[in-house]
Amino acid sequence: MRADKFTSAWWTLLVYLSMGSIERTNDSRQRAVEQFRRQGGMLRTKDALRAGIHPRTLYALRDEGTIECLSRGLYRLADAPPLAHPDLVAVAKRVPQGVLCLLSALAFHEITTQIPHEVYLAIPRNTEKPRIDYPPVWVFWFAERAFSEGIETHRLDGVPVRIYNREKTLVDCFKYRNKLGMDTVLEALRLCREQKRLDVEAVARYAIKNPSREKCHASLPRSCPLIRRGVEDGAVF
């Protein structure tokens, strides 16, 4: 009888402890979900850890389907509204210091008919290439002045995304015309002219300030008159 009473008491203690553990686990998961909601439904792993979410809780939420992995190290609540710009938002969250450039910026400003199959991302020179498995990213290293000028910040799906303005983007496309194709640049100029939304003086300033030292060293300063004529009298259309 004494042994039976001891065994019964032992099992009662185990059940009590396990119930407490389950309650603590549920509480930690609920707090983690609330933290996700406060951050717009999306968190990087390091931000989650910094907010006090234990890795075990994070992976449990993933395994049960409460959160989903958008990219390596980036999670989002599964019940959040669908993203309108999932690729741009994922890259902006993973590389907040980067800037969308070239074809991605052209597409955002609606001055190209091409659909980018990669996210075109500018980062400062001598910066380590970000390790992003998805979405596909084409990284460009810009010199300090070329990198820092002409940046706009837009909120896409609640996330701040840095994008070069259309004038800076046009100048950058001239620099990298051998990669993008001159047809892409001329199409962007034509669309800007049709939309009547281009500051020609700003284009000239960016071209003069940021001559390409990596690709076509002397071509951008010479391209300023080309841009002026193309926009003002349609010579290149």
Side-chain angles (χ1 to χ4, degrees), residues 25-82:
T25 299
N26 290 337
D27 288 345
S28 63
R29 292 184 185 182
Q30 184 60 38
R31 287 195 298 270
V33 170
E34 291 172 357
Q35 184 64 35
F36 266 90
R37 296 198 189 282
R38 283 196 292 269
Q39 299 300 322
M42 191 182 311
L43 279 173
R44 293 181 297 174
T45 300
K46 65 179 182 180
D47 293 332
L49 299 180
R50 192 179 296 123
I53 300 175
H54 195 279
R56 183 170 56 250
T57 302
L58 191 66
Y59 299 142
L61 292 174
R62 179 200 62 188
D63 294 342
E64 70 184 19
T66 301
I67 61 174
E68 57 187 2
C69 183
L70 293 183
S71 180
R72 190 173 113 184
L74 180 63
Y75 295 94
R76 183 172 184 266
L77 289 174
D79 62 358

Side-chain angles (χ1 to χ4, degrees), residues 104-221:
S104 290
L106 290 179
F108 175 80
H109 293 299
E110 298 181 344
I111 47 177
T112 184
T113 58
Q114 297 190 44
I115 300 175
H117 298 293
E118 301 167 293
V119 176
Y120 288 64
L121 184 71
I123 60 176
R125 184 179 292 172
N126 300 323
T127 301
E128 182 180 356
K129 182 178 180 179
R131 290 173 289 182
I132 302 177
D133 53 354
Y134 187 85
V137 177
W138 192 348
V139 175
F140 294 83
W141 284 267
F142 282 19
E144 181 177 355
R145 173 185 277 185
F147 175 79
S148 60
E149 291 186 328
I151 298 175
E152 300 175 341
T153 301
H154 299 266
R155 293 197 72 85
L156 305 181
D157 297 309
V159 175
V161 179
R162 286 152 49 98
I163 306 172
Y164 287 120
N165 64 35
R166 56 176 53 206
E167 291 80 13
K168 173 66 159 54
T169 297
L170 280 176
V171 172
D172 290 339
C173 287
F174 264 94
K175 292 182 186 180
Y176 292 96
R177 61 189 180 276
N178 291 336
K179 292 184 180 293
L180 302 178
M182 195 63 185
D183 289 345
T184 299
V185 182
L186 296 181
E187 179 192 48
L189 282 168
R190 176 177 60 79
L191 291 173
C192 282
R193 182 169 179 265
E194 291 175 358
Q195 297 171 9
K196 298 181 180 180
R197 292 176 55 197
L198 186 68
D199 185 341
V200 180
E201 295 299 327
V203 173
R205 287 197 302 272
Y206 287 128
I208 292 171
K209 286 183 178 180
N210 299 312
S212 174
R213 294 179 176 85
E214 299 173 4
K215 298 296 179 184
C216 308
H217 179 273
S219 63
L220 257 185

